[in-house]
Amino acid sequence: MTSARVSRHARIRAIAAAATVCALSAGPLAPRAGAADAPPYTETYRPRFHYTPQQNWMNDPNGLVYYQGEYHLFYQYNPNGNSWGDMSWGHAVSTDLVHWKELPLALSHDDREMVFSGSAVVDKHNTTGFGTPENPPMVAVYTSLDKRTGTQAQSLAYSTDRGRTWTRYQGNPVIDIGSKDFRDPKVQWYAPTRSWLMTVSLSAEHKVRFYSSRNLKDWDLLSEFGPAGATGGVWECPDLFPLAVDGDPKKIKWVLVVNINPGGITGGSGAQYFVGDFDGEKFTADDKGAYTPPAGTVVQDFEGTGFDTWTTTGTAFGGAPATGALDGQGAVTGYDGKGLANSFHGGDPATGTLTSGAFTVDSPYLNFKVGGGKHPHQDGTVPERGAPPEGTVLADFEGGTYGGWTTTGDAFGTAPATGTLPDQQEVTGWLGDGLVNSYRDGDSTTGTLTSPEFTLDKDYVDFLIGGGNHAASSDHPTAMELLVDGQVVRSATGSDTEALDWASWDVRDLAGKKARIRIVDDNTGGWGHLNVDHVVLSDTRARPVSRETSVNLLVDGEVVRSATGSDSESLDWASFDLRPYAGRQARIQIVDHNTGGWGHVLADRFTLAAAPAKSVVQRADWADYGKDYYAAVSWENVPGDERYMIGWMNDWEYGGSVPTSPWRGAQSVPRRMALRTVDGRLRLTSEPVTGLTSLRQGPAATASGLTVTNTSQPLIGPKAQGSALDIEATFSLRDADRFGLRVRTGAGGEETVIGYDTTTQELYVDRTRSGATDFSSAFPGIQRAPLKAENGKVRLRILVDWSSVEVFGGSGEAVITDQIFPHPDSQGVRVFAENGSVKLDRARVWHLGSYRD
């Protein structure tokens, strides 16, 4: 992880924030992990068999190498805190890729540099001269970030005591091209040329470079690969390695893994891969051929002189289709023919809608092209802000004082602000003359502002809110909290924007209770402040203003499907599944309600078809289809030429806010990688390392020959319940639309659904009710992976840990890794079938012990 990566992530989040005014907690916050009195490794969400450091922040795996009986796992680590910063290399070792021992810090940041991601090799021939033939050195090749200039260059360090102590090479850096986006070297010995091969990313250019060296010190550029595949975010942590096809050592292909953030298969971080050939100098990806979308009936291609029967509001879409880019707009690409819908008329400040006539749904799918801003539709929003809700005003922050509210710290001053503060972007959306604004002396100040006690005697607490998006569950929140009996039962944040908009808490379940509101600013970083105004107890829920730039499907006037661009002027295919609405009346509506950055939408070629069109991202190949598998790289020098890979089990969309303490960040289980022919094409497959079975405790709980019809029921009983489980299950298809297992089930409807959808032939994980999800609007959701049944059967291997699930479908071609944060008491496992029956041929469930045992 680099500083450039952080700043880019922050910019993307700030742009996307216009679509979501607040991140709201709709219920009590889950138990906070890492209470001060909790012994190490017993905290609420602490994984049992996934590696975590005892404390502090961890992200990318680095320096994966096998040497003298030990697998080394280095990783990006902050020795000074539980958030990203002071990047150094932490260190752990294992003899079996299952049991891990944390060692002291390996490579530390210093006054001049931070130690970013990279790799390690065993210099068996002592090409560097750092060791001796009898005691060859272990050499780390890492990206050094110059703290003065921000330049990223490649540097060396070496160890002659099995990685326990390290010495930086005095000739660093060994490659410096003067770039701020040149990082994450993966180095290996390339036997055919008896030389070292480096694979390293030009992140912002979506390219990978290959270099060669005889001594790890002097490097020659060989070639470049890219752009290709998914390019919606920066390319990072590349890895290149050979694998036998279907186990045949005479048939070798090369795999290039390129991690991407954002723009992965789930929108955030992801591990993309290419299969091809490497000739010692150049990697060539296999040609997949041109993409042809499914044929169908075109209902609107915007090739006419007007919009035909489609109607407009506002000014954003003009009076007729655009013929490309408009004044002030970048080059627009990816549309068909000469015309398209383009809401950049008048620039991003213009708004409006473009709506089709009504039609009867009589096709399975609606395919279309979409581009422009990534501002999703949010349910419950309105086109324009209405009058304030009626009710009891708890605070309007008028009159020059806070009234009975009390302050701590210095972020809130002694009285409400009267608008924008010095050096702050323009603040908008508040009412009257005063508001809460914690930007006093910038983001560096902290404090709290707490209301007098009041009774919850109405259905909702409505309020205007803006400012920073740092959840109440994070280490350093910028949050508005509702306290009952001293406990936080609701929370909200801004969305990294200075515009205040309405938000609301449903408090009907708390009727009659005494409460207080506390506004917290404990953040001194970017967007480390909060804006609040007009807090009202009301029987009417306030509705925020829509900030979307989207293409929507309306049925009975309600939005049932929605898609956006990806902050790009290039249009790409998207698809709506119309099957649930067959025979009903529908409309297509293209919406631009956003006046900020990327506040426009592009659309073209609406086609009714029998099959869905696929976007570039969907057509790319992914090592994992979950939200939480990133920076995936593999071990070098492994006995038997096996290829084992591991990834950071997190996502930059919310990685800094996951509710864990005193550590933040976990690694996936190591996986054995293979290249298999699946459904006629080569796929990179993965399965947990075989050593993981050593953690199984006692005999398996089993079930077999069970037919499940339109129900959900306990899988086996108490023996199959738990928070650390290894589950193997095989299902035979019958007529159920969906079936599978629900894990970590418990009170209040908590569950993580692991299912198979026969209508789409997809494996899926639904974590919308998996426990704590309030810390980021990007966290709840459903992740899907294509998976065809084999001989009418679906096989699943599911690893359940205290804060994650890893699901391996089929032969390992469909993998979904997701974090979850359920209540500790949610330990049930249930089998289910929806809209029909399924046969559970066999299920086996083992409890798993800890990697520290």
Side-chain angles (χ1 to χ4, degrees):
M1 167 83 184
T2 70
S3 59
R5 195 177 312 178
V6 168
S7 62
R8 182 173 294 105
H9 173 63
R11 290 198 299 271
I12 292 169
R13 187 178 64 179
I15 293 170
T20 307
V21 175
C22 307
L24 293 170
S25 168
L29 296 180
R32 286 293 298 275
D37 57 351
Y41 300 109
T42 65
E43 302 91 349
T44 301
Y45 300 126
R46 175 74 77 167
R48 283 184 64 78
F49 58 90
H50 291 85
Y51 177 77
T52 55
Q54 180 173 332
Q55 63 183 16
N56 297 341
W57 170 273
M58 173 180 72
N59 55 285
D60 304 359
N62 298 152
L64 306 182
V65 68
Y66 179 84
Y67 184 51
Q68 293 188 357
E70 291 180 323
Y71 293 92
H72 290 264
L73 168 64
F74 299 94
Y75 46 85
Q76 290 288 275
Y77 184 67
N78 180 359
N80 300 315
N82 203 22
S83 57
W84 187 93
D86 292 341
M87 282 294 95
S88 307
W89 275 24
H91 192 192
V93 293
S94 171
T95 59
D96 60 1
L97 290 172
V98 176
H99 297 84
W100 293 96
K101 178 182 179 182
E102 184 173 356
L103 296 180
L105 189 70
L107 294 173
S108 177
H109 74 103
D110 59 26
D111 292 340
R112 296 165 314 208
E113 71 174 18
M114 283 198 279
V115 184
F116 286 167
S117 293
S119 54
V121 295
V122 177
D123 186 11
K124 295 179 181 180
H125 306 293
N126 196 32
T127 64
T128 56
F130 293 153
T132 65
E134 297 75 25
N135 184 29
M138 184 186 296
V139 182
V141 188
Y142 66 92
T143 296
S144 52
L145 182 280
D146 189 312
K147 291 183 176 180
R148 299 165 301 165
T149 65
T151 298
Q152 298 175 8
Q154 315 319 315
S155 294
L156 306 179
Y158 60 92
S159 170
T160 56
D161 59 359
R162 297 166 48 241
R164 270 54 179 183
T165 61
W166 292 84
T167 301
R168 281 178 167 86
Y169 172 48
Q170 292 300 307
N172 283 338
V174 294
I175 310 179
D176 184 357
I177 63 173
S179 171
K180 296 183 178 181
D181 290 288
F182 178 52
R183 52 182 176 263
D184 310 336
K186 177 64 188 290
V187 174
Q188 61 190 286
W189 179 252
Y190 187 68
T193 58
R194 298 188 57 80
S195 62
W196 297 103
L197 173 66
M198 179 190 291
T199 307
V200 63
S201 69
L202 291 170
S203 301
E205 298 177 43
H206 309 117
K207 291 182 179 180
V208 169
R209 274 190 172 181
F210 303 101
Y211 288 85
S212 180
S213 173
R214 297 288 182 182
N215 58 10
L216 292 175
K217 302 173 183 177
D218 304 297
W219 294 89
D220 296 317
L221 176 63
L222 296 176
S223 64
E224 293 182 352
F225 172 80
T231 57
V234 293
W235 278 16
E236 299 178 320
C237 301
D239 194 2
L240 178 71
F241 50 85
L243 283 175
V245 175
D246 296 322
D248 183 354
K250 296 180 180 180
K251 188 175 182 180
I252 300 294
K253 298 289 283 188
W254 287 74
V255 178
L256 175 63
V257 175
V258 180
N259 293 270
I260 181 174
N261 174 66
I265 186 62
T266 66
S269 308
Q272 177 182 203
Y273 71 90
F274 303 88
V275 177
D277 297 298
F278 183 71
D279 63 4
E281 293 189 4
K282 182 179 181 181
F283 174 80
T284 304
D286 290 349
D287 186 4
K288 294 183 178 181
Y291 176 68
T292 302
T297 303
V298 177
V299 296
Q300 177 60 276
D301 58 8
F302 301 110
E303 293 301 297
T305 58
F307 289 123
D308 300 322
T309 60
W310 292 44
T311 59
T312 63
T313 65
T315 60
F317 292 93
T323 55
L326 299 168
D327 290 344
Q329 187 176 23
V332 174
T333 61
Y335 61 98
D336 289 356
K338 297 180 179 178
L340 75 156
N342 185 342
S343 72
F344 200 75
H345 290 82
D348 281 332
T351 61
T353 64
L354 178 59
T355 308
S356 76
F359 63 94
T360 301
V361 176
D362 58 4
S363 292
Y365 294 93
L366 176 68
N367 299 329
F368 55 94
K369 288 191 164 185
V370 63
K374 186 180 180 180
H375 306 286
H377 169 79
Q378 300 291 321
D379 290 337
T381 58
V382 293
E384 296 180 358
R385 197 164 96 179
E390 296 182 357
T392 304
V393 178
L394 297 177
D396 59 9
F397 304 107
E398 302 297 311
T401 72
Y402 284 127
W405 292 53
T406 58
T407 63
T408 65
D410 49 10
F412 296 94
T414 58
T418 57
T420 306
L421 294 172
D423 298 322
Q424 187 177 22
Q425 298 177 34
E426 183 183 5
V427 178
T428 61
W430 82 96
L431 299 175
D433 297 322
L435 76 154
V436 173
N437 185 342
S438 69
Y439 195 74
R440 313 274 173 164
D441 295 323
D443 282 329
S444 62
T445 53
T446 61
T448 66
L449 177 64
T450 306
S451 78
E453 190 173 67
F454 59 92
T455 300
L456 292 168
D457 57 4
K458 296 186 183 298
D459 292 347
Y460 300 96
V461 179
D462 299 325
F463 47 93
L464 290 164
I465 189 167
N469 178 13
H470 306 283
S473 59
S474 66
D475 288 347
H476 301 289
T478 54
M480 180 168 161
E481 302 171 336
L482 181 67
L483 307 178
V484 174
D485 297 328
Q487 300 297 310
V488 178
V489 296
R490 303 287 190 274
S491 69
T493 74
S495 302
D496 295 346
T497 176
E498 303 292 12
L500 285 77
D501 203 356
W502 287 112
S504 182
W505 290 321
D506 185 337
V507 293
R508 287 174 289 185
D509 62 317
L510 301 171
K513 291 187 176 292
K514 299 290 186 180
R516 295 180 189 271
I517 289 172
R518 180 173 63 196
I519 304 172
V520 180
D521 177 352
D522 190 35
N523 197 293
T524 59
W527 288 105
H529 63 279
L530 206 65
N531 308 322
V532 175
D533 195 19
H534 209 77
V535 185
V536 185
L537 274 173
S538 178
D539 288 326
T540 302
R541 166 168 257 165
R543 301 179 69 183
V545 174
S546 167
R547 306 293 182 188
E548 68 192 278
T549 53
S550 59
V551 176
N552 298 329
L553 179 72
L554 280 64
V555 176
D556 297 330
E558 298 294 326
V559 176
V560 297
R561 294 283 189 270
S562 187
T564 75
S566 57
D567 292 343
S568 169
E569 304 292 16
S570 179
L571 287 80
D572 197 4
W573 284 106
S575 184
F576 290 154
D577 186 347
L578 303 181
R579 290 173 298 173
Y581 316 106
R584 298 171 66 179
Q585 293 289 294
R587 294 179 187 270
I588 302 164
Q589 187 172 71
I590 310 173
V591 181
D592 178 355
H593 284 156
N594 197 291
T595 61
W598 287 107
H600 61 280
V601 61
L602 314 170
D604 194 20
R605 198 72 180 178
F606 288 89
T607 306
L608 295 169
K614 293 183 177 181
S615 67
V616 168
V617 171
Q618 291 171 316
R619 302 195 305 269
D621 290 318
W622 302 95
D624 194 297
Y625 287 80
K627 291 284 286 187
D628 296 305
Y629 188 73
Y630 189 62
V633 288
S634 64
W635 270 272
E636 292 298 324
N637 203 43
V638 173
D641 292 326
E642 293 282 7
R643 185 60 55 174
Y644 299 122
M645 181 170 280
I646 195 170
W648 179 47
M649 202 162 60
N650 213 337
D651 190 307
W652 283 115
E653 287 191 296
Y654 46 72
S657 299
V658 294
T660 64
S661 178
W663 86 101
R664 183 171 283 122
Q667 302 293 344
S668 72
V669 296
R671 302 170 182 182
R672 180 178 181 272
M673 312 306 291
L675 265 183
R676 294 191 177 103
T677 303
V678 179
D679 197 27
R681 67 186 187 93
L682 287 181
R683 299 285 299 276
L684 181 66
T685 65
S686 59
E687 59 184 358
V689 292
T690 56
L692 192 68
T693 59
S694 68
L695 297 182
R696 291 175 175 175
Q697 299 178 327
T702 63
S704 61
L706 179 64
T707 298
V708 184
T709 305
N710 294 325
T711 190
S712 170
Q713 63 189 60
L715 173 60
I716 298 169
K719 291 183 179 179
Q721 296 181 0
S723 52
L725 304 172
D726 187 349
I727 304 172
E728 294 179 352
T730 301
F731 293 88
S732 285
L733 302 185
R734 290 198 173 168
D735 60 351
D737 285 349
R738 288 166 297 279
F739 61 83
L741 299 175
R742 294 172 176 163
V743 302
R744 300 302 304 270
T745 65
E750 276 195 2
E751 62 180 8
T752 298
V753 183
I754 299 165
Y756 184 76
D757 190 332
T758 62
T759 69
T760 59
Q761 296 185 305
E762 290 176 319
L763 177 69
Y764 67 91
V765 173
D766 180 347
R767 66 176 181 186
T768 56
R769 297 176 299 281
S770 65
T773 62
D774 68 289
F775 51 85
S776 169
S777 61
F779 187 83
I782 303 174
Q783 282 64 253
R784 297 177 176 271
L787 178 64
K788 289 191 175 182
E790 186 176 357
N791 298 321
K793 296 182 182 295
V794 172
R795 291 183 294 115
L796 302 177
R797 173 90 179 273
I798 302 168
L799 302 179
V800 181
D801 208 341
W802 285 26
S803 54
S804 66
V805 292
E806 288 174 280
V807 185
F808 300 82
S811 300
E813 68 269 24
V815 186
I816 297 176
T817 301
D818 276 351
Q819 294 182 92
I820 56 173
F821 299 101
H823 192 279
D825 294 340
S826 296
Q827 298 195 20
V829 180
R830 303 176 69 86
V831 60
F832 75 92
E834 297 177 358
N835 297 330
S837 299
V838 71
K839 182 182 178 183
L840 176 62
D841 296 335
R842 189 183 189 194
R844 295 188 292 175
V845 182
W846 292 268
H847 291 262
L848 292 183
S850 170
Y851 73 80
R852 292 174 294 275
D853 294 339

